[in-house]
Amino acid sequence: MAKQLPYQTLTEIFQRFAAAEPEPKGELDHVNVYTLVVAVALSAQATDAGVNKATAKLFKIADTPQKMLDLGEEGLIEHIKTIGLFRQKAKNVMKTARILVEDYGGEVPSSRAALQSLPGVGRKTANVVLNMWWGHPAQAVDTHIFRVGNRSGIAPGKDVDAVERAIEDNIPAEYQRHAHHWLILHGRYTCVARKPKCAACLIRDLCEFEEKTL
């Protein structure tokens, strides 16, 4: 685990990220906040590309909780059976749809606590939805962010909660809204797990990683 980078260095890092990609976007396809919740829940232990392939047709016919209930669990499974853990995920999606219809008038709630009360929706999923749909500076720490945060010194921490706190406590406020997207994309395409592409890295001169590749 690298040591926490100083504030000035973090400011320079995020200035570079912002200059390269001013409005970073998540890579899960969705058409509204409900389909975003479903897509993020389906993405656990799966790739965004795999989820997008499975939901391309699904979201054309089931883009509201009621339409999902009308489709039914077996109908949902037919669309998502290429995704890992699809049976359990299908059960959670159907339970969530019923709760949203019966308790929230078919609308997705905008509070973290309410989102986390939904089946299959953990803190990471709730943070993604809060950030991507409502623009909250919520930090959804996945494996990419955990790796980048610890490897670089941007947000070191022994677990995802510690990394989330390190982002919130140390990254300048003006970069908080997009921080998790910049870090995910950096981890997905540059600071990859096995052999990071340090030669192509925007922040290689600021990063604490000792085993840089050339």
Side-chain angles (χ1 to χ4, degrees), residues 48-202:
D48 288 1
V51 173
N52 290 342
K53 187 174 181 180
T55 59
K57 292 181 180 179
L58 172 65
F59 291 160
K60 290 179 179 178
I61 59 173
D63 61 353
T64 69
Q66 186 58 58
K67 289 179 183 177
M68 192 65 76
L69 291 175
D70 294 341
L71 177 63
E73 188 172 322
E74 290 305 314
L76 171 59
I77 285 173
E78 280 303 303
H79 287 277
I80 68 168
K81 60 187 178 183
T82 56
I83 299 174
L85 307 176
F86 67 89
R87 291 195 181 279
Q88 185 57 50
K89 289 176 180 179
K91 291 182 185 300
N92 287 337
V93 168
M94 299 310 295
K95 288 177 183 176
T96 289
R98 187 162 300 284
I99 290 169
L100 292 176
V101 168
E102 293 180 354
D103 297 347
Y104 295 97
E107 300 294 324
V108 174
S110 60
S111 81
R112 181 184 283 116
L115 285 168
Q116 285 188 242
S117 73
L118 299 172
V121 177
R123 185 177 180 86
K124 186 182 81 170
T125 297
N127 281 349
V128 171
V129 175
L130 290 171
N131 180 276
M132 288 181 63
W133 194 260
W134 284 292
H136 294 189
Q139 308 303 329
V141 178
D142 69 351
T143 56
H144 297 299
I145 293 182
F146 186 79
R147 179 176 66 255
V148 172
N150 278 291
R151 186 183 266 174
S152 66
I154 290 172
K158 67 183 189 305
D159 54 38
V160 294
D161 291 338
V163 170
E164 182 180 335
R165 286 194 300 273
I167 294 173
E168 292 174 345
D169 291 347
N170 297 296
I171 290 174
E174 62 265 36
Y175 301 114
Q176 288 276 337
R177 180 181 174 187
H178 292 315
H180 101 270
H181 276 132
W182 283 317
L183 294 172
I184 285 173
L185 295 172
H186 190 63
R188 187 170 287 165
Y189 297 110
T190 304
C191 196
V192 295
R194 292 187 179 178
K195 191 176 181 182
K197 301 172 184 177
C198 298
C201 178
L202 280 174

Side-chain angles (χ1 to χ4, degrees), residues 20-43:
E21 187 69 61
E23 293 288 331
K25 304 293 183 186
E27 296 183 321
L28 282 172
D29 293 339
H30 58 284
V31 296
N32 55 30
V33 66
Y34 172 65
T35 55
L36 177 59
V37 171
V38 173
V40 179
L42 293 176
S43 72

